[in-house]
Amino acid sequence: MSGSHFCMERLSFCLLLSVWSWGLAPGGAAKPKGQGYPHMNSIRIDGDITLGGLFPVHGRGTEGKACGELKKEKGIHRLEAMLFALDRINNDPDLLPNITLGARILDTCSRDTHALEQSLTFVQALIEKDSTEVRCVSGGPPIITKPERVVGVIGASGSSVSIMVANILRLFKIPQISYASTAPDLSDNSRYDFFSRVVPSDTYQAQAMVDIVKALKWNYVSTLASEGSYGESGVEAFIQKSREDGGVCVAQSVKIPREPKAGEFDKIIRRLLETSHARAVIIFANEDDIRRVLEAAKRANQTGHFIWMGSDSWGSKIAPVLHLEEVAEGSVTILPKRVSVRGFDRYFSSRTLDNNRRNIWFAEFWEDNFHCKLSRHALRKGSSIKKCTNRERIGQDSSYEQEGKVQFVIDAVYAMGHALHNMHKNLCPGKVGLCSRMDPVDGVELLKYIRNVNFSGIAGTPVTFNENGDAPGRYDIYQYQIRNSTPEYKVIGQWTDHLHLKVESMLWPGGGSQLPSSICSLPCKPGERKKLVKGIPCCWHCERCDGYQYQLDEFHCKRCHFNERPNENHTSCTPIPIIKLEWSSPWAVVPVFIAIVGIIATLFVVITFVRYNDTPIVKASGRELSYVLLTGIFLCYATTFLMIAEPDLSTCSLRRIFLGLGMSISYAALLTKTNRIYRIFEQGKKSVSAPRFISPASQLVITFSLISLQLVGVCIWFIVDPSHSVIDYEDQRTTNPHFARGILKCDISDLSLICLLGYSMLLMVTCTVYAIKTRGVPETFNEAKPIGFTMYTTCIVWLAFIPIFFGTSQSAEKMYIQTTTLTISVSLSASVSLGMLYMPKVYIILFHPEQNVPKRKRSLKAVVTAATMSNKFSQKGGFRPNGEAKSELCENLETQ
């Protein structure tokens, strides 16, 4: 504040004060008052140095009245604590020796405006009055009693009152020490530079309350504040601390009006019930408002629903909960750490109407405390109230429990006393009584000494102030419990920078030990993420991490790696099981059985042919091509074992080679045979000369040339894409991750398989075409008809294979079905060739050897002519030769 602004502010205030002060003493003269007598509704005690005192002796008035009912604890106890402290200091030879402290104590009536009016008394002496116009009747100079000069003020109680008073006292540089005001605003040293307090700021209290809320595992609370600096700044500090610490949300902040209307508190309860999950209610309110809130909760039949957490204004007071014990049960309250001052208990218990006349409100307290009347005229007929006898005793004829702030009132008075003592030692060394440097006392100097005091308080705790005039934060935590029908405040913890709470000692409404909940949303189950409600971080909806997602943290789900799946509760990922076709699987047993039987049959045919290699039947079948064809058939059966074996580099390489090779060999040999027959008969129709390349050697060259194309294609494939095994996680990535599997297989895609078998299919189709073209050859001649039937059947097998193989591509059993289908199709193709082409020959060789005899030799022309004529006869009359021409043709072809 600039100097000119400060002067103008002070000048305006002084003009107001002058008008007010002159109005106090008509005629300009004030009558002197004796020690301990009432003076303008205040207590005045004479002394060398006068201290001011502000106490809420009465509550706020209603219906236009400034003051209401007497406050026995908050008012009288605290006021008497100041008188008790003054007596101790004045009787202490070591503290302010030969200096007496006096007092001017005023009633604030728990209202800031009334306190402002009353506190003008403290600065009255600082206003110089113009007495030139005052004339006495006798013509002599007027005698004007100068008001006592207040050097410091003890108080006030409520923060709103302290703020109002502090704004006045700072203008006149009068230091102020509060015993109960805890609003954080008062820590602003730029605005309230002459204000100090022996109680900690609500900033500490708010932190302690946030810690308590978190310790009780609450995260959703409501706040309730009395209108004014104490309530509003306390709630604001709580909200700020809860945001800084996180984890606590305020459902709603409700304010109690300064002048509540009828039904206002019922409306407050209804509003709190709008967020019924927020059962915990943080209260920064004055004693009267707390009581009326509890009464409204009782009227609303909400006993036991709300869990109240009261600030130090509630503390351990009886008045707010009197006759409301059940509604207040379980309430948690906080109070600056204190101990009961036994000396004060003895002092207060000994107070009577006779020895305590200096307290002008003590008679009123006496009547209220003992439920009696001092004046007989005040008694009404039929009333149960008796007349006071003055023989009543506090603590014997009435209940008594020391009010929670008594210790701090005493410490505040002692802080002022120690500051004055240190100031006297420095400014008046060796002087008895006050010296000129302390007459008057400089408020700025006194403030410096106040901020530097460091002494042990009445309870043994150190009394100090920081640079803002705040005391350190030390709190006791209470809970209002009912044990065996007896209500009491029980200490359940402490807070000194850190919380120490005995949760196991706490009792809740109904006497249970089960911790009540005050949360917006229930915790999400494992595998569920929180989806926060906008603007309310403590409220959320739980969403399941579905599919292949797992819970990364409480707010996010993340998809598992491609080779992993979430565990059962979706909290982590586990490797997807790897499967392959096992030998014991029914899908493998059937193909293996067929393959084994086929291999045995093939080996049996080969052995038979080798043993009877020079017999006519073997020669007639074309020995060289027969062995090649049987080799292909054997490889077809053997491929089954490669398809079922565990995929690895060698297995996959062999699959590429032999899966198509066996069929290529078989169909290349059959194609060569059918092509040879076709060319022979076509040539026989035109000339008697034999076609080219029909010798066994030529036939082998043609066959191996066809086979080599398959091998060249496989080699190129190896170069372009080397063979390896892979684990396919996509093939069986089902909607339900529980059924997901990774398939260990070779890197042969469906397209690669088509290409691999495509050449064999081409040979098969070509062979089928030649079989159709040679269908006119009579069945008694050579192998054209058996080859034709073989190819027709093979085509049917493979036509059935295609829809089964590719139609199951989306099936969960795809690997098993396709592998089994492929192996059985290959084996069936081999079995058809083996059964139709070689089993009849083996049957003749083994069971009809008489038919396996050589025939006479004729020329190729004669043989072809005979075959042609035989075909004509067969078509006309069904004449069937005895097979001689057939055998002879075969032999002639074999020897060419």
Side-chain angles (χ1 to χ4, degrees), residues 636-698:
C636 288
Y637 287 124
T639 301
T640 298
F641 298 95
L642 291 176
M643 297 300 295
I644 296 175
E646 180 175 345
D648 54 25
L649 179 61
S650 58
T651 304
C652 293
S653 300
L654 293 175
R655 282 187 188 179
R656 283 194 184 186
I657 297 171
F658 291 105
L659 180 59
L661 183 61
M663 295 178 63
S664 297
I665 293 174
S666 300
Y667 298 134
L670 287 175
L671 177 58
T672 304
K673 277 194 173 189
T674 54
N675 175 264
R676 182 187 187 196
I677 296 171
Y678 173 76
R679 287 189 295 114
I680 289 174
F681 278 91
E682 285 297 315
Q683 183 69 19
K685 295 177 183 179
K686 300 175 182 179
S687 67
V688 295
S689 61
R692 300 174 60 189
F693 309 118
I694 61 173
S695 65
S698 299

Side-chain angles (χ1 to χ4, degrees), residues 77 84 339-351 394 400-403 406 410:
H77 282 206
F84 170 73
V339 295
S340 182
V341 182
R342 295 184 179 180
F344 177 79
D345 290 339
R346 291 191 297 269
Y347 162 81
F348 191 73
S349 299
S350 66
R351 296 298 89 188
I394 299 172
Y400 164 74
E401 183 177 354
Q402 187 179 126
E403 199 273 335
V406 164
I410 298 171

Side-chain angles (χ1 to χ4, degrees), residues 569-718:
N569 57 9
H570 287 252
T571 55
S572 62
C573 293
T574 58
I576 294 177
I578 308 302
I579 60 171
K580 57 183 180 62
L581 187 57
E582 302 291 343
W583 293 101
S584 58
S585 170
W587 297 98
V589 170
V590 174
V592 167
F593 176 77
I594 295 174
I596 291 174
V597 173
I599 289 174
I600 293 173
T602 303
L603 292 176
F604 179 75
V605 171
V606 170
I607 293 171
T608 302
F609 268 50
V610 170
R611 182 175 179 182
Y612 299 97
N613 188 55
D614 294 325
T615 61
I617 292 292
V618 175
K619 289 181 178 181
S621 64
R623 288 178 295 185
E624 291 78 4
L625 287 181
S626 292
Y627 291 130
V628 172
L629 179 58
L630 288 170
T631 301
I633 292 173
F634 177 84
L635 291 178
C636 288
Y637 287 124
T639 301
T640 298
F641 298 95
L642 291 176
M643 297 300 295
I644 296 175
E646 180 175 345
D648 54 25
L649 179 61
S650 58
T651 304
C652 293
S653 300
L654 293 175
R655 282 187 188 179
R656 283 194 184 186
I657 297 171
F658 291 105
L659 180 59
L661 183 61
M663 295 178 63
S664 297
I665 293 174
S666 300
Y667 298 134
L670 287 175
L671 177 58
T672 304
K673 277 194 173 189
T674 54
N675 175 264
R676 182 187 187 196
I677 296 171
Y678 173 76
R679 287 189 295 114
I680 289 174
F681 278 91
E682 285 297 315
Q683 183 69 19
K685 295 177 183 179
K686 300 175 182 179
S687 67
V688 295
S689 61
R692 300 174 60 189
F693 309 118
I694 61 173
S695 65
S698 299
Q699 297 298 297
L700 289 176
V701 170
I702 294 172
T703 301
F704 285 115
S705 297
L706 295 173
I707 295 171
S708 64
L709 293 178
Q710 172 77 21
L711 294 175
V712 169
V714 171
C715 291
I716 295 173
W717 188 11
F718 272 115

Side-chain angles (χ1 to χ4, degrees), residues 294-336:
L294 296 179
E295 290 172 345
K298 186 176 183 180
R299 286 194 299 271
N301 197 27
Q302 294 301 320
T303 299
H305 175 75
F306 292 112
I307 308 298
W308 312 100
M309 182 176 291
S311 62
D312 60 335
S313 62
W314 184 337
S316 58
K317 296 187 183 73
I318 301 298
V321 299
L322 189 62
H323 307 307
L324 297 168
E325 290 82 4
E326 292 183 356
V327 184
E329 184 181 8
S331 300
V332 178
T333 61
I334 190 169
L335 195 62

